[in-house]
Amino acid sequence: MTPPSILITGVSSGIGRVTAAHLLQRGFHVYGSVRGGDAPPELADNPSFTTLTFDVRDRAAMAAAVADIGAAGRPLLGVVNNAGVAVPGPVETTLEAEYRRQFEVNVFGLIAMCQEALPLLHAAKEAGHEPRIVNVSSVSGYLTSPYMTFYSASKFAVEALTDGLRRELLPFGIDVVSVAPGPTKTPIWSKGSTQTSGFEGNRYSHLIPQLDPYTKAAERNGVEPEQVAAAIHRALTDERPRPHELIMNKRWLARLVRLMPRRWQDNFFTKRYR
Ligand SMILES: NC(=O)c1ccc[n+]([C@@H]2O[C@H](COP(=O)([O-])OP(=O)(O)OC[C@H]3O[C@@H](n4cnc5c(N)ncnc54)[C@H](OP(=O)(O)O)[C@@H]3O)[C@@H](O)[C@H]2O)c1
């Protein structure tokens, strides 16, 4: 029997890499995207893994990759929109190219991936499967921290896209859900912490020394990517998956803060920057 397949964007590291391995262990064929070079060896060496090469800002390359998946003939049961970047910086001073990149990757790349893959998901539905789209959102799509505002705005957009797309596709039998991790032990924070240009030479520069300890603490206290991978697997396979699942330590705290009046939330988020 042809094994069902899943497409995951961004498997070079972090959550995507671990999720790809998790799904391979559970019998899926995994199509995983990298931007260049080889996929990590534990994936590339597995005969049930196929490397795709594209940047989610390159629509033509994504279309070609999806055409290859279609030609291979395995039903595509799921798309995991995982590729993402975190662009830190004050709204006032972050360069336009940087905040555009935040949205180009996390939001427009995700939309493009959905549009390109949906014909294969509809075909899977017509062949009797229960196809899904799983968007990797964030607690930042739930609450907004200062200096992560662009990232948060991109993830709020991912949440809106998830809810709207689910409501558009449910009549066609395709479910769309989000998995929203809190701080997770992946390289994303160290990649982001090198981007301090928005803080340099301006009224925000006194914050620079606080950025590195914060990202290190987020990495240290974060959840393991395996926990996020397990949630993505549930989202792909549960009969009735949760439309939104927050995966983090102290989830109760995030929920409590969100229930607070906005001025109280302001105090919660700004006290460590005073
Ligand atoms: N780590 C956390 O604390 C956390 C918390 C909440 C949500 N998330 C979300 O989880 C997802 C995965 O992040 P991660 O933490 O696992 O970070 P990561 O290790 O940096 O992984 C991000 C992946 O996205 C890929 N990527 C980045 N830009 C891309 C582009 N333009 N086109 C295609 N692929 C691109 C990266 O590829 P390259 O190696 O080529 O850059 C990498 O494979 C992201 O959507 C992130 O927002 C992470």
Side-chain angles (χ1 to χ4, degrees), residues 202-224:
N202 58 41
R203 69 179 80 243
Y204 301 96
S205 54
H206 65 286
L207 296 169
I208 291 175
Q210 297 180 36
L211 302 175
D212 198 38
Y214 174 66
T215 53
K216 291 219 162 55
E219 273 181 3
R220 204 174 42 247
N221 303 325
V223 299
E224 298 295 336

Side-chain angles (χ1 to χ4, degrees), residues 16-17 53-54 72-73 101 151 165 173 204 207 217 227 243 256 259 267:
R17 177 177 182 167
T53 303
F54 59 77
R101 184 169 68 92
Y151 179 68
L165 192 56
Y204 301 96
L207 296 169
Q227 283 176 255
L256 179 69
L259 289 173
N267 190 47

